[in-house]
Amino acid sequence: MKHSISPYRRPLHLPGGHLQTIVHALTRRVVLPTPYVRERITTPDHDFLDLDWLKRGSKKLLILCHGLEGSSDRPYMQGMARHFFNHGFDVLAVNYRGCSGEINKAKRMYHSGATDDLDLIVGHAAVAYSELFLIGFSLGGNMILKYLGEKGVQSVFKKAVAFSVPLDLHDGVKGLDTGFNKMYVRRFLSTLKQKVVAKQQQYPDEIDLTPLDDITTVYDFDDTYTAWIHGFNGACDYYYRNSSIRFIDQIKTPTLVINAANDPMIGSIARGPEPFKNTDYVQFHLTSQGGHVGYYGYQNKVLWSEKQALHYMMK
């Protein structure tokens, strides 16, 4: 059954995808109803993951997965966490390896398809809850769709929602590395490069910093570092093996994907219905406006995207 979605209407002073992306990211401030409580868990390779909780004693749990170079403290994460917590959910906001404010121990970090870490987190958290729900943003949206496809009928989640998803990673990156989008690339690369430098200090005999200064695109960074560190044969192999478009028709969890036609970061494939033609479980909704992880415009401090996610989960 198709889920009804109310239309998104952009604020009049934000006419384009870039403004709808940037203003939300830079100006929104979210006050959580109670501070996160951090839990650190150990991974099988003796690394760690930092999990941030909002608990109210509910039997319903929402797990949130952030985007590239994000964290549990991003406004889009905190806003969604607050909205669900205020409506009776416990919330677990994930921080990927190296994204919690402290560099992780292992040589590997995180990437768009690191579902082994997500599976560890789900297994750790699920035992205390009768209903589980999952939301991912951008890179995190790609990750949760891949995860749900890998799990198939064995998924423990009741429902899931993904926002601003680059379904085909290579297609998304090609768009990122052109035009005005290079502004986003510079911001991403500044922190990604810092993490590579920190990794080299941990593993001085294994990581070569020589190419770092010449890297100006996300593709080159992934080809030089992301793919190599995580065992892929270059960027194209990394993108192909981790793109959620390959897993959508294996998903058996009711899932809603919401992308915006004016999103500057997801690529052209992610703006069309074609990837969803062979699934009865995944509903795709394309808004004309919204930007990337944007949907700016409040109603009682709640974003349109937060209202749609809760409505879908509760129906």
Side-chain angles (χ1 to χ4, degrees), residues 150-169:
E150 290 170 341
K151 287 297 179 182
V153 295
Q154 296 181 336
S155 167
V156 298
F157 287 96
K158 185 176 181 179
K159 288 185 178 180
V161 179
F163 290 99
S164 304
V165 188
L167 302 170
D168 184 302
L169 297 173

Side-chain angles (χ1 to χ4, degrees), residues 106-128:
K107 184 170 67 175
R108 66 170 285 188
M109 293 181 278
Y110 73 96
H111 63 81
S112 298
T115 51
D116 57 336
D117 280 350
L118 179 56
D119 193 46
L120 177 69
I121 293 166
V122 172
H124 171 76
V127 293

Side-chain angles (χ1 to χ4, degrees), residues 25 65 84 96 113 123 172 195 200 205 223 236 241 245 257 272 304:
C65 296
F84 273 76
Y96 310 142
K195 289 179 178 177
Q200 198 276 337
D205 297 329
D223 198 47
C236 290
R241 289 168 60 182
I245 194 172
V257 176
W304 176 89

